[in-house]
Amino acid sequence: MEHGSYKDQSASTFSLADEDHTLANALRFTLNQDPRVSVCGYSIPHPSEARVNIRVQTTGDPAKEVLKDSCQDLMMICQHVRSTFDQAVADFKNTNGSESE
């Protein structure tokens, strides 16, 4: 769900249901890595409500597109971390398995 001015698409607030600091902080991090982002941040309206509001202000590009790109970047980061972890576990098992024989 997007809130903001239709005239200026470079600044928007996005409200994500059923989310918390875990996703919001990771998205804030990836958004801050994007040179098109001038300001971004997030808030949780109320502790009892599972909702996060993410504010994105860009240097001119539509905030919706920049947020979408950041979500894709975050997915790539998570995939890289997962594959690196899986490879490290496999390497550990191979190394320790050969020593016990």
Side-chain angles (χ1 to χ4, degrees):
M1 176 186 217
E2 180 183 350
H3 301 286
S5 170
Y6 288 104
K7 294 177 184 174
D8 181 13
Q9 295 182 356
S10 67
S12 295
T13 299
F14 304 90
S15 186
L16 307 177
D18 299 323
E19 294 299 342
D20 59 15
H21 291 283
T22 304
L23 178 65
N25 195 39
L27 269 177
R28 181 197 54 79
F29 174 81
T30 57
L31 282 162
N32 276 321
Q33 303 302 306
D34 193 320
R36 299 173 294 173
V37 174
S38 55
V39 176
C40 74
Y42 76 91
S43 64
I44 297 192
H46 193 275
S48 67
E49 185 179 356
R51 178 171 301 279
V52 172
N53 294 329
I54 299 177
R55 178 72 176 173
V56 180
Q57 288 181 263
T58 71
T59 56
D61 291 1
K64 181 167 45 173
E65 293 302 317
V66 174
L67 178 65
K68 180 181 171 186
D69 291 346
S70 286
C71 288
Q72 291 173 335
D73 290 346
L74 183 57
M75 285 177 20
M76 296 293 289
I77 291 168
C78 290
Q79 289 170 351
H80 175 73
V81 168
R82 178 61 187 258
S83 65
T84 302
F85 177 79
D86 289 345
Q87 185 61 52
V89 168
D91 292 347
F92 178 80
K93 286 180 179 178
N94 289 337
T95 301
N96 289 333
S98 62
E99 290 175 2
S100 62
E101 294 178 16

